Amino acid sequence: MYNKMANTEERLRQLKAFDESKAGVKGLVDDGITKVPSIFICKPEDPSAEDIPSFGNPTDQHQFSIPVVDLGDVVAGRPAKVIQDIRRAAESVGFFYVVNHGIPKTLLEEMLEATRGFHELPREVKAEYYTRDPMRKVKYFSSYNLYQSRFATWRDSMFCDMAPEPLDPQELPLVCRDITMEYSDQVHKLGVTLFELLSQALGLKPDHLISLDCEKEHLIASHYYPPCPEPELTIGTANHSDGTFITILLQDQIGGLQVLHENQWIDVLPVPGALIVNIGNFMQIISNDKFVSVDHRVLAKKEGPRVSVGCFFRPATSDKSSRLYEPIKELTCKENPPIYRTITTKEYYTEYYKNSINEVPVLKSLKL
């Protein structure tokens, strides 16, 4: 008992020292570490640590590839094909690439470069943005659940609350200020288009998901995964599903993202100019399991840094929000009754954090 308490106290001391350095994982790498610190090591009993393969090893790959949806077919007068492709991907995989999405490739490249630019600022400059205060609209930190999880993740992140309350650009670091505002505007427009297509893929009117405020609130997360000296011992992002309607992801060419499909981890390979879309838990709830939200993770790698930018279209997170979420009435009937109970965002996150400790999927706990 004494040894366990001593180990717990020592771990807490290490977590605090790491957190209070405000230098993130990059700070450890800059200091020249050659071994992964113990607070980052995934224990064998952790689901995220099970059978971590080398990224891109064909012997580990299921014979499957992530679907591609060409939004150019809408412009070309073939919207029915796009709707069909999105329906198939959202129903069976929960992940798909979008190409010809209308966001210039130069803007994508500049957004990745700005993300790299922020995370490679001097540590004393970045430290001004380091916080775990949920009320701050721009937050930089490592491992959002640092003190609750059994292991820290090999990643630094900057989160920016872009909407519904407009973010004052002056709150953003200068190195990524203008490009973040421009990218946010462009990716929000793409989100609106995707919600219209997803509505039709569900057999609903194009504006149905918009009428539920699915596009109203979005968050941009800029992630930085430093090279890791012992990638087999840790993880970049632990196994999880997103508490969103949809997530739109921009990633660089390093790779490392994997999605769980039919109990196999599948590489989501970088495709130049493409964006990745994944279905979130709230979309699975309101679609009554028509669309699937699936687990995914990011491996730590010796190569790097890897950078990515996620745009999370999420339900209202304000404590004052009383909006209820439940399976869409038009998608249920006597033969296909609602699978999930009616919830608020607050109830969802209460279940999420409770079940993350017990390692129970949050959607399972929300079923009727």
Side-chain angles (χ1 to χ4, degrees):
M1 177 66 75
Y2 174 79
N3 286 340
K4 185 174 182 180
M5 288 178 61
N7 289 340
T8 300
E9 289 175 2
E10 173 59 20
R11 176 175 173 77
L12 182 59
R13 186 194 66 77
Q14 293 178 23
L15 289 171
K16 285 184 175 179
F18 171 68
D19 201 25
E20 291 171 3
S21 76
K22 301 183 178 182
V25 178
K26 185 177 186 299
L28 298 175
V29 174
D30 289 346
D31 289 340
I33 63 162
T34 58
K35 298 286 185 182
V36 169
S38 61
I39 59 172
F40 291 91
I41 294 177
C42 298
K43 298 294 189 292
E45 64 268 21
D46 289 311
S48 291
E50 291 177 4
D51 188 30
I52 297 180
S54 299
F55 182 81
N57 184 343
T59 62
D60 293 322
Q61 286 295 291
H62 192 49
Q63 294 301 309
F64 175 82
S65 58
I66 303 299
V68 178
V69 174
D70 187 348
L71 296 184
D73 285 329
V74 176
V75 180
R78 296 187 293 272
K81 181 181 185 306
V82 178
I83 293 166
Q84 183 183 55
D85 289 346
I86 284 182
R87 181 188 300 115
R88 287 174 176 169
E91 288 179 351
S92 62
V93 187
F95 264 73
F96 54 93
Y97 298 102
V98 288
V99 297
N100 294 317
H101 44 66
I103 302 180
K105 190 176 180 181
T106 53
L107 180 59
L108 303 181
E109 292 169 348
E110 289 171 10
M111 187 65 212
L112 289 172
E113 190 58 38
T115 296
R116 191 175 293 109
F118 168 75
H119 286 283
E120 294 179 355
L121 287 171
R123 64 175 67 186
E124 63 271 15
V125 177
K126 285 191 298 182
E128 297 176 21
Y129 297 93
Y130 196 96
T131 181
R132 296 187 184 278
D133 180 358
M135 302 309 294
R136 285 270 294 272
K137 298 193 74 171
V138 176
K139 307 175 274 290
Y140 152 63
F141 54 82
S142 291
S143 294
Y144 77 95
N145 57 350
L146 180 66
Y147 294 100
Q148 291 78 37
S149 176
R150 289 204 299 269
F151 56 90
T153 53
W154 202 261
R155 183 189 83 183
D156 298 331
S157 302
M158 180 173 67
F159 288 84
C160 307
D161 293 323
M162 306 304 297
E165 298 300 324
L167 176 66
D168 180 353
Q170 298 303 312
E171 294 188 49
L172 287 164
L174 182 60
V175 69
C176 57
R177 182 176 299 162
D178 292 344
I179 191 67
T180 299
M181 297 303 293
E182 184 177 358
Y183 181 74
S184 174
D185 181 59
Q186 293 273 350
V187 80
H188 179 263
K189 291 176 182 176
L190 174 59
V192 170
T193 297
L194 289 169
F195 282 122
E196 291 173 346
L197 293 167
L198 286 162
S199 290
Q200 294 173 86
L202 288 168
L204 305 168
K205 293 181 179 179
D207 64 351
H208 196 108
L209 293 176
I210 301 295
S211 73
L212 300 179
D213 292 339
C214 291
E215 49 69 55
K216 189 174 182 179
E217 183 161 330
H218 76 275
L219 163 82
I220 286 184
S222 301
H223 300 308
Y224 186 94
Y225 300 82
C228 181
E230 299 175 300
E232 70 279 3
L233 297 182
T234 187
I235 195 90
T237 300
N239 178 14
H240 71 289
S241 57
D242 292 349
T244 62
F245 294 109
I246 62 171
T247 302
I248 301 176
L249 181 75
L250 165 64
Q251 66 170 345
D252 67 7
Q253 298 304 301
I254 297 291
L257 174 63
Q258 295 185 323
V259 58
L260 190 63
H261 180 70
E262 296 181 354
N263 294 317
Q264 297 278 343
W265 285 109
I266 307 299
D267 292 340
V268 184
L269 298 170
V271 174
L275 291 166
I276 300 158
V277 179
N278 68 274
I279 301 299
N281 291 341
F282 275 89
M283 184 65 77
Q284 181 163 335
I285 290 169
I286 64 175
S287 71
N288 207 39
D289 275 0
K290 180 77 169 173
F291 294 163
V292 294
S293 173
V294 297
D295 286 353
H296 49 287
R297 67 182 184 183
V298 179
L299 303 181
K301 302 189 70 178
K302 281 187 178 291
E303 302 88 352
R306 175 188 187 264
V307 296
S308 67
V309 182
C311 180
F312 300 90
F313 288 90
R314 59 185 187 175
T317 54
S318 168
D319 287 340
K320 297 177 182 177
S321 175
S322 58
R323 177 178 275 280
L324 299 175
Y325 298 95
E326 62 185 357
I328 295 169
K329 294 290 192 294
E330 289 84 347
L331 302 180
T332 64
C333 60
K334 186 177 180 180
E335 292 74 26
N336 185 37
I339 295 170
Y340 298 97
R341 58 187 169 92
T342 303
I343 57 165
T344 63
T345 310
K346 186 175 181 180
E347 288 171 330
Y348 170 86
Y349 283 109
T350 298
E351 288 291 326
Y352 176 83
Y353 289 117
K354 180 178 72 176
N355 288 297
S356 63
I357 296 172
N358 300 323
E359 295 180 357
V360 175
V362 63
L363 289 177
K364 184 176 180 181
S365 69
L366 296 174
K367 289 186 175 183
L368 290 168

